[in-house]
Amino acid sequence: MSDVVCAIDIGSANVRFIIAQRLDDDSFQVVGVGSATSHGLKKGGVVNIEDTVRAISKAVEDAELMSGIEVDSCYLGIGGAHIEGMNSKGVYPISDKGGGNTEVGSDDIQAVINSAKAIVIPLDRQVINVLTQTFTVDKQKGIKDPQNMIGVRLEVEAHIVTASITAIQNTTKCVERANLFVEKRMYNGLSAVRSVMTPEEIEAGSLLIDIGSGVIDVVFMSGGAPYLISVLPIGGDTITNDLALVEKISFEMAEEIKLTEGCCWQALLEDESGEILLPGVGGRAPIKLMKSRVCEIFYARMREIFDIIKSRVDDVLKTKPLGGNIVICGGGALLTGVVEVAG
């Protein structure tokens, strides 16, 4: 199994499982994927263990069937409104290796990272990822890798990602009950960054906006490291719910409209006077909705979402310029007009 890597993404709308095989050049080839509708999560958190386990089992079974490989472990993506990120600094005196040799070693690097991790967090939270931004050796700043450098004082700036212990335990329990061992956990937003951003974008200063069904992940990358991680407790389902409440229709009808006729930018409507015809309930007459009205409802929510994101990002942009791109991904990015509203 050493040449096989598996990963699972447990989202509010879908559970997805992937199996990849390592090739001779150390790259990976995807050989199996599986997906199942998720009913056991809300805003990225588990609310029904049994439903979540069933969805995981189905996704894993589909991936195994496609690849012809049986798996027993995986990497687990952690997401949800409980995720928080914060910047931290650590300082550590470089140890004498003997004879006055103060060369930075791997032990020194780990020690200064542990120093950055030594932050006060609530008892119900746990550090899941520590990502180094830059090192400083004796006031020489901007160092990416201080290994083997000479100095007496080592400093690090890092971004610490924390999550609810209960949420982690419940998610992990679901995976283990599906007969899988969790090898490592990683925040979903960082996985998305590696998937959809180029190395140049990650280095130059770029913003990721991952619009999921339950939450929106916002990650600002600069110099190859995150400087902001924020999770909004709203998503694609919120947009659907707006339409359902305003027009007094079922959530299922509103979701169908969003997927087939959804648009949040008036100028992109092919027919502003067009109508959407919905079947009546209980023998009642069909319901007519104006496409322009639906667009207004979607626009209002999308505009609010991007205003909130801007307020979250403004502070970090004062010190780290947006030299790259704004990358929008996730299911919500498929809504026609999202890019125009963001602009």
Side-chain angles (χ1 to χ4, degrees), residues 185-343:
R185 303 177 186 91
M186 185 174 183
Y187 164 52
N188 283 338
L190 295 174
S191 301
V193 164
R194 302 299 177 187
S195 299
V196 302
M197 278 190 183
T198 65
E200 293 77 16
E201 287 173 329
I202 293 173
E203 194 69 29
S206 297
L207 181 67
L208 173 91
I209 302 173
D210 186 354
I211 307 176
S213 62
V215 297
I216 298 175
D217 293 292
V218 180
V219 182
F220 180 77
M221 302 291 296
S222 180
Y227 281 81
L228 170 74
I229 287 176
S230 183
V231 182
L232 279 59
I234 51 180
D237 284 352
T238 311
I239 302 168
T240 302
N241 199 49
D242 287 345
L243 180 60
L245 289 174
V246 172
E247 295 299 333
K248 297 179 176 59
I249 59 177
S250 69
F251 183 90
E252 290 73 22
M253 282 186 178
E255 181 71 7
E256 181 67 20
I257 292 172
K258 186 183 74 174
L259 296 176
T260 58
E261 304 280 355
C263 179
C264 60
W265 191 252
Q266 202 82 21
L268 295 179
L269 281 176
E270 295 181 0
D271 182 10
E272 291 189 24
S273 61
E275 296 180 341
I276 301 171
L277 198 63
L278 300 176
V281 179
R284 297 178 184 176
I287 303 170
K288 292 182 180 179
L289 296 182
M290 296 296 295
K291 290 185 178 181
S292 58
R293 174 60 174 160
V294 173
C295 184
E296 288 175 6
I297 296 170
F298 288 161
Y299 170 79
R301 178 61 74 177
M302 290 307 306
R303 179 59 187 269
E304 180 192 33
I305 286 172
F306 287 118
D307 284 345
I308 294 172
I309 292 172
K310 184 178 184 301
S311 69
R312 300 278 178 100
V313 176
D314 276 346
D315 284 344
V316 73
L317 292 183
K318 293 175 182 177
T319 57
K320 298 291 179 181
L322 183 64
N325 293 317
I326 298 175
V327 182
I328 305 175
C329 64
L334 299 176
L335 183 64
T336 302
V338 165
V339 173
E340 286 73 13
V341 176

Side-chain angles (χ1 to χ4, degrees), residues 83-117:
I83 297 290
E84 294 178 3
M86 64 187 79
N87 293 314
S88 180
K89 293 183 179 181
V91 180
Y92 185 76
I94 301 171
S95 59
D96 190 337
K97 311 302 187 296
N101 177 15
T102 56
E103 186 177 278
V104 177
S106 56
D107 290 344
D108 299 309
I109 295 173
Q110 188 57 54
V112 77
I113 291 174
N114 289 337
S115 173
K117 284 174 60 177

